[in-house]
Amino acid sequence: MTDEIGPNIIEFPLFTEQFCDELTTLSEQNEWTTTRHTFYPTTDQTMVDLGLQTIYQKVLEQFVYPIWIWFWELEGDAWNTSKSENFIVKYDTENQGSLGIHHDSSAITLNVRLNDDYKGGGTFIPRYKLNVQPKRKGYAMSHPGQITHKHGGRPVTEGTRYILVSFTNP
């Protein structure tokens, strides 16, 4: 099931809660970086660094891209074989709790909620005056990354928020 939770913002279930728990545990066993993105750096680590890029790319191709192709009525073979920059972002009250308003370097951005034990957060889209995030752990949210959906990460006020982000271009 896919729901439109805002203008051109869709949400759908993607992972089990158990997988999300295992992914956040694995990410905490590795080193976080803050230097991968020049203009809007996040505290993150890539799926490549976690050894999960290949299998995650298959998940995108088999499950996520078909939803995008259907919802946005995308045409051409390039959408079936898109490549994504995939990384886990960590927001907390001690280090990085939010992210300024920006455009992503993607045609479409995916954001997967990996945990529930935090307060605050969310993706704020000023054009639509919306603060959105997937409603449940394991759910994904997608929106255009450039042009129409300039956005930022709202501050986490308690706990640690983990999200899996994909920047996808055909």
Side-chain angles (χ1 to χ4, degrees):
M1 290 197 322
T2 303
D3 294 317
E4 188 169 12
I5 60 174
N8 279 309
I9 306 165
I10 58 173
E11 177 189 66
F12 49 91
L14 187 61
F15 293 124
T16 65
E17 290 189 12
Q18 180 181 350
F19 176 78
C20 294
D21 293 342
E22 291 174 7
L23 189 54
T24 56
T25 298
L26 177 63
S27 69
E28 282 299 343
Q29 295 170 357
N30 289 282
E31 191 170 327
W32 296 94
T33 183
T34 57
T35 59
R36 285 187 338 95
H37 295 114
T38 304
F39 297 109
Y40 292 92
T42 53
T43 301
D44 63 32
Q45 54 189 284
T46 68
M47 293 297 270
V48 171
D49 292 339
L50 293 172
L52 296 171
Q53 175 63 25
T54 301
I55 190 69
Y56 182 63
Q57 186 64 41
K58 288 180 183 181
V59 168
L60 293 173
E61 291 169 4
Q62 291 180 13
F63 299 101
V64 175
Y65 297 170
I67 292 171
W68 292 351
I69 290 166
W70 164 77
F71 182 78
W72 281 293
E73 300 176 8
L74 304 172
E75 297 178 350
D77 290 335
W79 289 105
N80 293 314
T81 57
S82 297
K83 295 301 176 205
S84 295
E85 175 189 354
N86 307 302
F87 52 102
I88 296 176
V89 178
K90 176 181 179 178
Y91 293 109
D92 62 30
T93 57
E94 295 179 22
N95 298 299
Q96 181 178 13
S98 62
L99 189 62
I101 302 295
H102 64 282
H103 281 295
D104 294 333
S105 58
S106 64
I108 302 174
T109 296
L110 178 82
N111 175 322
V112 181
R113 184 177 186 148
L114 296 178
N115 70 315
D116 287 328
D117 51 343
Y118 64 90
K119 291 187 179 170
T123 301
F124 180 67
I125 304 172
R127 171 177 283 208
Y128 304 113
K129 297 175 181 60
L130 285 175
N131 187 47
V132 292
Q133 60 183 315
K135 64 183 166 197
R136 291 178 44 196
K137 181 168 41 171
Y139 276 52
M141 175 182 81
S142 294
H143 60 81
Q146 298 176 356
I147 315 244
T148 58
H149 284 64
K150 198 169 194 177
H151 62 281
R154 286 288 187 168
V156 169
T157 57
E158 188 177 304
T160 302
R161 176 185 182 216
Y162 297 93
I163 57 174
L164 172 56
V165 175
S166 297
F167 291 168
T168 304
N169 290 294

